């Protein structure tokens, strides 16, 4: 089975309690269980990680680049301003995922420094966006 990393950035560990009217009621633990199971059905060995620390995310992206491991990346707020994460992500094959429709929210959320190098971008499909990202990577 092909390995895939699902990397989640700041505040995504709070899924289920953080603004459920925007992000839904699924916890990060339930999301992780779901994407691992979904990946198995696509012959993918999915590992889910979440961090509040930018340097940790960069190290994980370097690990993915060094191992030629595709990534599903929800960088949270870093999406909008972290050129360091954008540079590290550009070394990998990744799908950018956003649970909410960032274009229907605050203006700053509509700009992504990650999108230019993503192999796909999934926005506003809830946690189901992770399934779509895995399907995209599975088909590559």
């Amino acid at each position: 089975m092909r390995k895939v990393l699902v990397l989640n950035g700041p505040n995504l560990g709070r899924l289920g309690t953080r603004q459920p009217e925007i992000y839904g009621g699924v916890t990060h633990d339930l999301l992780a269980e779901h994407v691992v199971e979904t990946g198995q059905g696509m012959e993918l060995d999915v590992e889910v990680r979440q961090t509040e620390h930018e340097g940790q995310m960069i190290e994980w992206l370097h690990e993915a680049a060094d191992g030629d491991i595709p990534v599903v990346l929800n960088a949270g707020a870093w999406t909008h301003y972290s050129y360091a994460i954008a540079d590290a992500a550009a070394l990998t094959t990744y799908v950018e995922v956003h649970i909410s429709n960032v274009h229907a929210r605050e203006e700053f959320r509509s700009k992504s420094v990650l999108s230019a190098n993503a192999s796909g971008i999934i926005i506003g499909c809830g946690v189901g966006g992770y399934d779509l990202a895995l399907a995209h990577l599975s088909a590559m």
Side-chain angles (χ1 to χ4, degrees):
M1 290 205 313
R2 183 174 174 206
K3 183 169 184 163
V4 173
L5 292 179
V6 174
L7 303 180
N8 290 314
N11 297 309
L12 288 160
R14 297 290 187 166
L15 287 176
T17 58
R18 178 183 177 225
Q19 296 175 288
E21 68 279 5
I22 294 173
Y23 299 105
V26 175
T27 66
H28 190 269
D29 287 344
L30 289 174
L31 170 65
E33 289 175 23
H34 173 77
V35 296
V36 167
E37 285 180 19
T38 299
Q40 287 172 346
M42 297 178 193
E43 299 294 315
L44 299 172
D45 177 18
V46 176
E47 183 177 339
V48 181
R49 302 176 185 175
Q50 188 275 326
T51 185
E52 311 295 342
H53 304 285
E54 188 174 20
Q56 180 67 74
M57 180 65 78
I58 292 166
E59 289 176 6
W60 289 341
L61 290 165
H62 290 171
E63 175 188 337
D66 292 345
D68 195 28
I69 303 167
V71 174
V72 175
L73 179 60
N74 185 338
W78 293 325
T79 299
H80 314 295
Y81 67 87
S82 179
Y83 296 105
I85 288 177
D87 288 347
L91 301 170
T92 72
T93 299
Y94 68 97
V95 178
E96 179 181 349
V97 172
H98 301 282
I99 295 170
S100 69
N101 179 355
V102 293
H103 299 291
R105 297 182 62 197
E106 303 92 340
E107 168 103 16
F108 77 90
R109 293 185 195 277
S110 65
K111 179 182 186 322
S112 169
V113 299
L114 300 172
S115 295
N117 291 304
S119 67
I121 304 164
I122 301 168
I123 296 171
C125 295
V127 293
Y130 289 85
D131 297 352
L132 297 170
L134 290 174
H136 176 71
L137 291 174
S138 176
M140 292 180 73

